[in-house]
Amino acid sequence: MYVRAAFSAAVAALALLAPWGYAGNPESIPSPTTPAAERPNIVLVLADDLGFTDLGSYGSEINTPTLDALAQEGVRFTNYHTAANCAPARAMLLTGVDAHIAGVPNIPEMLAPEQKRHSHYQGVLGNNVVTVATLLEGAGYHTYMAGKWHLGAGPGQLPSERGFKRTVALADSGADNWEQRPYIPLYEKASWYADGKEYQLPDDFYSSRFLVDKTIEFIDSNIDDGTPFFAYLPFQAVHIPVQAPQEFIDRYMGVYDGGWDELREQRRQKAVELGIIPADSGIGRMSTTDDWNALDADQRRYQAKRMAVYGAMVEAMDYHLGRLVDYLKEREQYHNTIIIFTSDNGAEASGPADPGSFIARRGPTALGYHTDYERLGLKGSYNSISPSFASAAASPLAFYKFYAGEGGMRVPLIVAGAELADKGGLNHAFSFVTDITPTILSFAGVEPPERRYRGRPVEPIIGRDLGPLLRQEVDRVYGPEDAVGYELAGHAALFQGDYKLVLNRGPLGDGQWRLYDIVRDPGETSDLASQQPARLQRMLSAYERYARDNKVLAVPPGYDHLKQLVINTLYQRLRTPILVALLTALVLLPFLMTWRNTRKDA
C-alpha cells in the first residue's frame, strides 16, 4: 500500500510540476512622523506568477480595466525586479531584508536536506526581521491580510502573529481556487487559517472573489473610526491550478488560436508602443518553446483553451479588485488611499507540453482532478500553461519562474494614489522587491527600525524608498555603482547601474556567467561578457561579497529544484508510515524472538 502511495505521489508531483508583534522596551517603538488624519490608507496587492506583459497597460490582450485605470492614475515601473519564486519574494516584500537573512532563501518545499541543517535555510520567516505590518500596527494602523501567506504555519509564524490584526490566509504554496483541496501531493489538505485558527472555506468559494470579499469585510469593520488601514491582498491568481468562472473563459475562446509565437511577438510590439521596452530591443526564442505548426488541430485547440483560462483568471482577478476600488470610492476613502500592485515572480511554466501524455493525465487523476477540454478551468479541473505559452506571458523577456533570467524576475509594478505627481507616467529606473517596505513606511510617515525593535535585535532594511522617484525628485534611487545581489537555488544575479550579471543553471541554463545591459536589452539577447571583461570581473567580485554577506549556501551537487520537490514530497508522505512500521517492528521484536525460541525448544 505504501509503495503504491509513493508511486502515486511521485507520478503526481512529476506530472503537475514537470518542466515546471514583539514584546520589549516601548521606547524603541518607531513613532509616526505624520499626524493620523494625514496618513494615507495603503493597499498592497500581489498577483501570483503573473508575467511581465500580462496586463493591458504592459502590452497584453487580456482585459484588465481596473489595473489599467490605476496605471493611468499612477506610475508604471518597467525595470522592477523580484525573486523568481514566491516565498523569498514575499519575505523581501514584507520586510525589506534579503531573503537569505530573513530565513527564506527558497520555498521550503524545494530545500535540500544539506541546506536545511542551517538555521537561515528553513523557508519560514525568521524572528530576526520585522514585517511592514508589525511596524504599521505599532504606528497606529489597522492591519489586514486576505490571501496566500506561504511564510510559515508553525508557532509564531502565521500572519496573525506577524503584525496583521485580521487575517484569512493560505499557508501553503498554492491550492485549488474553487474548493478547499490541495493542488500537489505534498499536501494532505489545503491549509487555510483565519486570525490564527484553522479555517473552513465556504461552499461558494472562488479565490479572487472570496479574498476581495474578506478584504472589504475587514476594512469595513473599522472604516468609521478615523484610523488609517494597511490591507495586504495576495491573490492566488494565476498560480496553478489555473481556474476561472465560465463567463470569463468565454471571452478568450479563439483569442489564442494563433499560438504562442504569434502572441509573444504581438505583446512585444504592444509593449514597444506603450513605451514599456525600447523600440530596438531584441527578443529571443526559448529552447522550451514548441513548434505550434507541428501540432494537430485538436492539440492546438486544447493548448489555446489552456491559455484562454489563464487570461480569464487574470481578468477575474482584475474584476474583483475593481470591486474593492468601487468600495473605497463609495466609502469616500479612495482619495486617501495608496494602491501598490505587483507580482511575486514571473510566469509559471510547469504545465506539461503534452497534456495528453500518460504522466500528464495521471498526475491530476491521482489528486481527483480531470483535464477534460469542455470543463477546463471549472471546479474539479486541473489546468496550467506550458513553457511555450509562458514565454508569451513573459514577452519579450527570456526564462520564467525559478530562473534568474528577466522573465523570472521582472514583473509589473503599479503605484497609484492622490499624492503622486506623474499621473500615467512610466519609470524606467531599476527597483527591487526590498524597496516596497521602505516605500510603504515612507507613505505612512513611519521611521524604519535600525538594529532594534521593541527591545529585540532585528536586521536593518536594505531596500530604498521609491518616494523620490514617484515625486519626480530624482532619476534613480540606486546609483551607477550600487550593487543589488540575488540568489535562488544556485541561479544568481547582480544588478549594477544599467547592467545585470546573471547565471542560470540547468536544465534551461548553461551555468555560465553572462552580462547584459538590461535597459537597452531587456530580452537578454546580447551577452557583453567578452566585450566588457573589466566590468564582468568587478561585478563578479561584487556578487561574491553579496553571497558572503548574506550567507548564501551552494546547492548540493546534482541539485534540481523539481527533483528535490519530488523527493521532499515522497519523504513528507511516507515518513509517518515508515516511522509507524519501525515502531511496530520494535514493539513486536521481543514477541518474535520469544516465538522463535519457543519453536526451537519444541
Side-chain angles (χ1 to χ4, degrees):
M1 179 177 68
Y2 297 142
V3 172
R4 191 183 312 121
F7 175 76
S8 297
V11 169
L14 286 168
L16 299 175
L17 296 164
W20 211 64
Y22 303 104
N25 180 7
E27 293 180 0
S28 63
I29 302 174
S31 60
T33 58
T34 306
E38 299 177 18
R39 288 184 285 164
N41 306 313
I42 300 168
V43 177
L44 175 58
V45 184
L46 189 68
D48 200 325
D49 298 350
L50 189 78
F52 182 59
T53 50
D54 273 340
L55 304 181
S57 54
Y58 279 78
S60 180
E61 74 294 335
I62 300 173
N63 184 39
T64 53
T66 302
L67 288 163
D68 295 348
L70 291 173
Q72 289 304 309
E73 296 171 11
V75 176
R76 280 167 292 168
F77 286 74
T78 67
N79 195 4
Y80 169 78
H81 293 77
T82 180
N85 73 357
C86 48
R90 291 158 197 266
M92 292 191 282
L93 180 84
L94 294 175
T95 68
V97 177
D98 184 85
H100 299 81
I101 298 298
V104 194
N106 199 345
I107 61 174
E109 294 85 352
M110 290 182 175
L111 285 169
E114 298 93 324
Q115 296 173 319
K116 294 199 75 171
R117 297 189 188 112
H118 299 264
S119 60
H120 66 301
Y121 265 71
Q122 300 304 303
V124 296
L125 198 63
N127 289 326
N128 60 329
V129 291
V130 184
T131 70
V132 66
T134 295
L135 296 172
L136 292 178
E137 184 184 40
Y141 269 72
H142 293 305
T143 54
Y144 313 120
M145 177 197 162
K148 174 176 154 182
W149 174 243
H150 199 207
L151 291 173
Q157 295 172 356
L158 287 168
S160 54
E161 298 178 86
R162 300 309 298 256
F164 291 96
K165 183 177 181 180
R166 294 297 314 278
T167 67
V168 57
L170 172 66
D172 306 328
S173 63
D176 193 274
N177 294 281
W178 287 111
E179 52 190 324
Q180 193 157 352
R181 63 190 296 187
Y183 80 108
I184 53 176
L186 178 67
Y187 307 116
E188 293 185 1
K189 62 179 181 178
S191 303
W192 283 88
Y193 296 85
D195 299 331
K197 299 179 180 179
E198 290 193 23
Y199 181 73
Q200 184 65 40
L201 294 174
D203 292 337
D204 63 346
F205 174 76
Y206 177 69
S207 63
S208 292
R209 180 183 65 238
F210 172 78
L211 297 176
V212 168
D213 284 348
K214 298 304 291 187
T215 300
I216 292 173
E217 174 190 323
F218 292 160
I219 294 171
D220 201 59
S221 66
N222 296 299
I223 195 73
D224 296 320
D225 67 2
T227 301
F229 63 81
F230 169 61
Y232 176 42
L233 175 55
F235 283 103
Q236 289 179 241
V238 273
H239 193 283
I240 56 175
V242 179
Q243 300 164 316
Q246 186 67 56
E247 60 267 30
F248 289 98
I249 297 173
D250 290 342
R251 300 172 192 175
Y252 294 92
M253 297 302 293
V255 171
Y256 302 108
D257 289 354
W260 35 71
D261 290 315
E262 178 181 292
L263 180 63
R264 182 166 164 84
E265 178 57 27
Q266 287 175 349
R267 288 197 178 187
R268 187 197 72 84
Q269 293 177 8
K270 185 63 175 178
V272 168
E273 293 174 16
L274 293 170
I276 300 295
I277 60 171
D280 59 350
S281 59
I283 183 172
R285 193 174 193 272
M286 291 294 296
S287 62
T288 49
T289 301
D290 291 331
D291 182 357
W292 178 261
N293 295 320
L295 305 180
D296 63 34
D298 286 341
Q299 289 173 325
R300 290 196 296 269
R301 178 171 173 260
Y302 193 91
Q303 295 282 8
K305 185 164 185 182
R306 294 170 80 182
M307 188 64 189
V309 178
Y310 182 95
M313 194 175 188
V314 174
E315 182 175 344
M317 174 190 70
D318 182 273
Y319 170 81
H320 289 292
L321 179 60
R323 295 195 299 112
L324 175 59
V325 170
D326 289 343
Y327 164 79
L328 294 173
K329 290 178 178 178
E330 291 168 4
R331 298 307 305 266
E332 299 183 350
Q333 293 293 321
Y334 183 74
H335 70 284
N336 190 41
T337 299
I338 299 289
I339 299 178
I340 301 171
F341 173 88
T342 188
S343 178
D344 61 348
N345 48 251
E348 165 72 88
S350 290
D354 180 10
S357 67
F358 168 77
I359 196 168
R361 290 182 287 105
R362 182 69 183 89
T365 301
L367 292 172
Y369 285 100
H370 68 78
T371 57
D372 300 347
Y373 174 86
E374 294 297 338
R375 297 179 290 163
L376 202 63
L378 303 182
K379 188 174 182 178
S381 81
Y382 198 97
N383 181 53
S384 55
I385 61 172
S386 72
S388 299
F389 265 127
S391 72
S395 179
L397 310 177
F399 292 90
Y400 24 72
K401 182 179 177 181
F402 298 118
Y403 292 90
E406 289 292 276
M409 298 185 68
R410 189 186 292 216
V411 296
L413 171 63
I414 298 171
V415 184
E419 294 185 14
L420 307 184
D422 189 16
K423 303 292 185 182
L426 294 171
N427 191 285
H428 302 294
F430 170 80
S431 52
F432 197 63
V433 62
T434 49
D435 301 334
I436 300 301
T437 280
T439 302
I440 290 173
L441 295 178
S442 177
F443 279 132
V446 176
E447 290 291 333
E450 293 185 1
R451 292 287 180 180
R452 300 187 71 80
Y453 182 76
R454 295 193 175 184
R456 293 189 62 170
V458 295
E459 294 293 333
I461 290 172
I462 62 169
R464 306 284 175 90
D465 173 16
L466 301 179
L469 279 178
L470 295 165
R471 295 188 294 270
Q472 297 183 299
E473 297 169 355
V474 298
D475 293 329
R476 58 174 68 192
V477 295
Y478 290 93
E481 299 304 315
D482 290 335
V484 176
Y486 168 79
E487 188 272 348
L488 173 72
H491 309 294
L494 184 106
F495 301 89
Q496 192 171 45
D498 294 346
Y499 294 88
K500 177 186 177 184
L501 178 73
V502 61
L503 181 150
N504 284 296
R505 301 176 68 249
L508 299 189
D510 58 9
Q512 300 297 312
W513 285 105
R514 301 188 180 278
L515 178 66
Y516 298 103
D517 180 341
I518 57 170
V519 172
R520 296 166 186 81
D521 180 26
E524 296 174 304
T525 61
S526 180
D527 182 7
L528 304 175
S530 61
Q531 299 175 34
Q532 301 188 37
R535 183 184 299 277
L536 175 70
Q537 291 304 316
R538 288 198 304 271
M539 293 182 71
L540 281 170
S541 296
Y543 177 79
E544 290 301 322
R545 288 193 296 273
Y546 159 78
R548 181 185 65 247
D549 293 345
N550 290 278
K551 303 177 184 178
V552 175
L553 299 179
V555 294
Y559 174 88
D560 175 86
H561 63 273
L562 293 177
K563 181 174 70 175
Q564 191 63 56
L565 176 61
V566 173
I567 293 171
N568 290 347
T569 297
L570 293 174
Y571 174 75
Q572 180 70 24
R573 294 297 299 271
L574 292 180
R575 64 177 179 177
T576 299
I578 290 173
L579 286 172
V580 170
L582 288 173
L583 289 172
T584 302
L586 288 172
V587 170
L588 294 178
L589 185 59
F591 296 97
L592 177 62
M593 296 301 295
T594 301
W595 177 79
R596 291 184 63 183
N597 290 334
T598 302
R599 289 288 298 262
K600 288 179 181 179
D601 293 341

